[in-house]
């Protein structure tokens, strides 16, 4: 049991930051949901640790679990009842230069359907190949290509609209 905990601790130390960033993107820029997603993922990894460690597929398993959990979470009824508002009640601090562009991309990413968001994050953030992404999501390579193309087209459209709107100000 101590060896298991030590090995899991080493995995956690090496992958926690990457998992949090990926979860943040999968959750559409919501740090609170991202932390919950990471905790759910780590719990499932810990339970399956002896098997996945023996198979040597820890990273692949963790990505698959995280994406599936994110998609499952997006389908829950209470998520659909929440209303996201454009204006926050109190003014936010002015972002540092360059942060505005990152926020625009994250905001646009959050507007993608969960499946497309998962494909875009795995393909372009995690830098997985089409084959690896298809395997991680349990989908065909054609579906991954299609979802990536649709997701990127939507992101381009959303970001172009934001730029046009900013130019009108």
């Amino acid at each position: 049991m101590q060896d298991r905990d030590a090995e899991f601790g080493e995995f956690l130390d090496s992958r926690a930051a990457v998992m949090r960033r990926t979860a943040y993107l999968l959750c559409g820029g919501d740090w609170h949901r991202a932390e919950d997603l990471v905790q759910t993922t780590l719990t499932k990894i810990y339970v399956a640790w002896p098997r996945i460690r023996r198979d040597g597929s820890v990273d692949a398993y963790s990505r698959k679990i995280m994406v599936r959990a994110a998609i499952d979470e997006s389908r829950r009824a209470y998520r659909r009842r929440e209303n996201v508002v454009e204006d926050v009640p109190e003014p936010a601090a002015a972002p540092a230069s360059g942060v505005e562009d990152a926020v625009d991309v994250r905001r646009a990413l959050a507007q993608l359907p969960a499946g497309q968001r998962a494909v875009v994050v795995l393909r372009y953030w995690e830098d997985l190949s089409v084959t690896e992404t298809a395997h991680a999501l349990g989908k065909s390579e054609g579906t991954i290509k299609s979802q990536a193309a649709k997701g990127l087209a939507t992101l381009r459209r959303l970001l172009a609209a934001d730029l046009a709107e900013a130019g009108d100000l």
Side-chain angles (χ1 to χ4, degrees):
M1 188 66 154
Q2 272 185 330
D3 289 340
R4 173 186 182 166
D5 289 347
E7 286 179 353
F8 184 77
E10 288 174 18
F11 167 78
L12 182 58
D13 290 342
S14 68
R15 299 295 292 165
V18 173
M19 290 177 77
R20 279 194 298 270
R21 287 190 299 263
T22 301
Y24 177 75
L25 294 173
L26 287 172
C27 291
D30 184 336
W31 277 115
H32 301 289
R33 284 181 49 213
E35 287 293 329
D36 290 344
L37 179 59
V38 170
Q39 288 302 316
T40 300
T41 303
L42 290 173
T43 301
K44 291 180 180 187
I45 291 171
Y46 185 79
V47 169
W49 186 255
R51 178 180 50 82
I52 61 174
R53 186 72 177 131
R54 186 176 52 246
D55 294 343
S57 59
V58 177
D59 286 333
Y61 182 83
S62 65
R63 272 192 299 271
K64 182 179 275 192
I65 291 303
M66 184 177 291
V67 169
R68 286 183 177 174
I71 291 171
D72 288 347
E73 179 69 17
S74 72
R75 292 179 180 156
R76 294 186 192 236
Y78 72 89
R79 273 287 167 230
R80 290 191 294 264
R81 286 193 303 252
E82 289 183 5
N83 293 324
V84 178
V85 295
E86 282 292 320
D87 299 321
V88 293
E90 65 273 346
S97 69
V99 173
E100 293 156 346
D101 294 335
V103 170
D104 289 342
V105 172
R106 288 191 298 251
R107 190 177 303 122
L109 191 60
Q111 293 180 40
L112 293 179
Q116 284 182 12
R117 187 169 51 240
V119 169
V120 170
V121 168
L122 291 179
R123 283 282 292 127
Y124 304 106
W125 174 258
E126 287 283 323
D127 201 27
L128 298 182
S129 69
V130 171
T131 304
E132 291 168 328
T133 304
H135 182 69
L137 296 176
K139 306 221 181 268
S140 71
E141 290 183 20
T143 299
I144 298 303
K145 291 176 187 177
S146 169
Q147 292 294 298
K150 288 177 184 175
L152 290 176
T154 302
L155 286 174
R156 284 186 193 104
R157 183 177 46 76
L158 292 169
L159 292 171
D162 285 350
L163 284 175
E165 186 177 300
D168 290 341
L169 297 177

